[in-house]
Amino acid sequence: MYNSRIIGLGKYVPENVVTNNDLKQWMDTSDEWIQERTGIKERRWIDPETSDDTTSSMGVKAAKIAIERAGVTKDDIDFVIFATLSPDMYFPGGGVRVQDMLDMPTIGALDIRNQCSGFIYALSVADQFIKTGMYKNILVIGSENHSGGLERSTRGRGVTVIFGDGAGAAVLAREEDSTKGILSSHLHSEGAHAKELALEGPSTGRWVDTIMEENDPDDTSYYPHMNGQFVFKHAVVRFSEAIIEGLSANNLKKEDIDMLIPHQANLRISQFIQKKFNLRDDQVYNNIMRYGNTTAASIPIALTEAWEEGKVNEGDTVVLAAFGSGFTWGSVVMRW
Ligand code: ACO
């Protein structure tokens, strides 16, 4: 059995910055409301007038940086894992698009559909493939184009103000030293709450014909909807459980955490967790202020920035934790 270790990280966000005040052109909202409830000051939204970014192409841009920093080439990658809730197409998923855009050999490409927990699930899957010796280098990507599918109106404001676009990527490689790299991953779900945070149509449960036939101006089924307070209450509990589970599986205490990277769902959730685990500011990385919630991309973007800023160093205990739609949640504990 081998361990797996991140050997390269990259991120990409669209150039177009949308501030809280910019959102007022579409909806009744305020900078004060958004900052107070979420901590978000601005996010990146693809501007289709000036950019041809897509979920896959952003993933590719982040991946190129990760591959270069890993000191490998695209031909050294054995497998691609792509996490998103906003694929370019209904099918096929983004993994094969990346394989094509990066001009990779005909290696396998897998898509992960676990929303905000997508990158945690993707890392865990990659780790298992490497542990068994099946693959040596795996490219793991989280990427989202939320802006194209959000309801830009006062009706949609409860969800729309939260989400941003972007991508993050990691190259995971075989590590022979069992004390380094991914030490554990824990994954959970509770599908009973699937509809509390969901986008229901178009899907096989709600085909385009039905939506068009009904032609109901009050139909919001093709926009994401969220029972915000319900999700918030579950998030704080599940984040904590996932972190505790990861720490105890490795006989670690909360004092041992050098860097916690929570999925960037809401700054208030991160702050709650920080307080609960009695962590200093330098032990928790947040960038939701600048990017909003980028779902599957949020952890790899944050991890990349933390690493770029020299906040993640060799020997550090790094904990990643996420919670989101599904509900799904989980954690990954790594020794850098
Ligand atoms: N601007 C101004 N007012 C607003 C806005 C807005 N953007 N959005 C909602 N409001 C209003 C509402 O209409 C409501 O008004 P009312 O009291 O007159 O009816 C009031 O503000 C309160 O609305 P709530 O929805 O109760 O606001 P809440 O305090 O719950 O904050 C939020 C909403 C930020 C979404 C919060 O509930 C949250 O962060 N939830 C968890 C999000 C999360 O963790 N998601 C998981 C990951 S996402 C994924 O997996 C895809």
Side-chain angles (χ1 to χ4, degrees):
M1 291 278 272
Y2 302 101
N3 263 21
S4 71
R5 187 167 67 90
I6 291 178
I7 60 165
L9 285 163
K11 73 152 216 277
Y12 172 81
V13 289
E15 267 176 40
N16 184 40
V17 176
V18 177
T19 65
N20 293 341
N21 281 328
D22 291 336
L23 294 172
K24 288 199 230 167
Q25 65 188 288
W26 297 291
M27 62 196 77
D28 179 14
T29 190
S30 67
D31 180 45
E32 194 191 3
W33 190 97
I34 299 170
Q35 284 213 47
E36 191 188 309
R37 306 278 174 133
T38 70
I40 299 166
K41 294 181 190 219
E42 59 188 40
R43 75 284 295 135
R44 302 297 179 98
W45 279 1
I46 296 166
D47 178 359
E49 302 284 319
T50 57
S51 154
D52 55 5
D53 281 337
T54 68
T55 301
S56 304
S57 73
M58 290 192 295
V60 165
K61 286 176 183 170
K64 281 184 177 167
I65 298 168
I67 290 170
E68 198 195 327
R69 285 175 173 169
V72 297
T73 72
K74 48 123 180 138
D75 296 324
D76 297 314
I77 303 292
D78 304 312
F79 195 61
V80 176
I81 304 183
F82 194 95
T84 191
L85 65 64
S86 51
D88 298 349
M89 296 188 269
Y90 189 93
F91 73 83
V96 297
R97 309 263 290 159
V98 167
Q99 180 272 334
D100 176 44
M101 285 189 233
L102 282 177
D103 192 24
M104 290 169 136
T106 55
I107 55 169
L110 174 74
D111 294 291
I112 298 271
R113 292 283 318 265
N114 290 87
Q115 298 69 249
C116 294
S117 310
F119 195 75
I120 296 285
Y121 269 73
L123 273 187
S124 177
V125 171
D127 181 45
Q128 306 312 309
F129 275 127
I130 289 175
K131 271 196 166 69
T132 58
M134 183 159 170
Y135 295 127
K136 204 169 165 200
N137 297 311
I138 300 182
L139 174 62
V140 184
I141 300 172
S143 182
E144 304 287 359
N145 168 2
H146 281 299
S147 61
L150 294 168
E151 186 178 19
R152 297 187 193 190
S153 71
T154 298
R155 186 174 68 175
R157 66 185 177 178
V159 170
T160 302
V161 302
I162 298 170
F163 291 109
D165 303 337
V171 176
L172 220 67
R174 181 183 291 174
E175 169 59 59
E176 313 238 340
D177 181 345
S178 64
T179 64
K180 283 189 180 162
I182 293 186
L183 304 178
S184 68
S185 58
H186 292 93
L187 308 175
H188 294 278
S189 72
E190 193 174 26
H193 304 312
K195 291 198 172 181
E196 305 296 343
L197 173 47
L199 191 159
E200 293 182 37
S203 65
T204 53
R206 192 159 169 72
W207 283 116
V208 174
D209 323 24
T210 315
I211 294 170
M212 290 178 73
E213 204 176 286
E214 287 176 3
N215 194 20
D216 175 3
D218 297 325
D219 181 15
T220 54
S221 67
Y222 44 86
Y223 292 118
H225 69 86
M226 169 163 68
N227 183 349
Q229 294 196 7
F230 186 85
V231 174
F232 194 103
K233 281 179 197 148
H234 280 73
V236 290
V237 174
R238 298 310 193 182
F239 261 111
S240 306
E241 287 176 3
I243 295 165
I244 291 167
E245 189 176 26
L247 290 176
S248 55
N250 296 290
N251 293 319
L252 294 168
K253 297 186 288 298
K254 55 185 197 290
E255 302 76 54
D256 298 321
I257 299 176
D258 293 301
M259 179 54 76
L260 169 67
I261 303 203
H263 159 57
Q264 302 291 290
N266 184 325
L267 189 61
R268 307 300 159 228
I269 295 177
S270 297
Q271 288 167 335
F272 177 91
I273 301 298
Q274 177 175 347
K275 203 166 166 204
K276 179 164 177 177
F277 285 87
N278 204 18
L279 300 172
R280 300 181 309 272
D281 285 351
D282 62 297
Q283 289 172 290
V284 184
Y285 193 86
N286 289 304
N287 59 10
I288 190 169
M289 307 71 88
R290 286 177 281 129
Y291 303 129
N293 177 351
T294 57
T295 311
S298 97
I299 289 181
I301 292 175
L303 184 56
T304 301
E305 292 197 337
W307 175 81
E308 285 169 349
E309 292 166 25
K311 292 177 175 164
V312 174
N313 295 295
E314 190 159 356
D316 282 356
T317 298
V318 179
V319 178
L320 314 178
F323 172 87
S325 158
F327 293 156
T328 58
W329 64 97
S331 66
V332 165
V333 178
M334 296 185 277
R335 175 81 24 76
W336 206 259

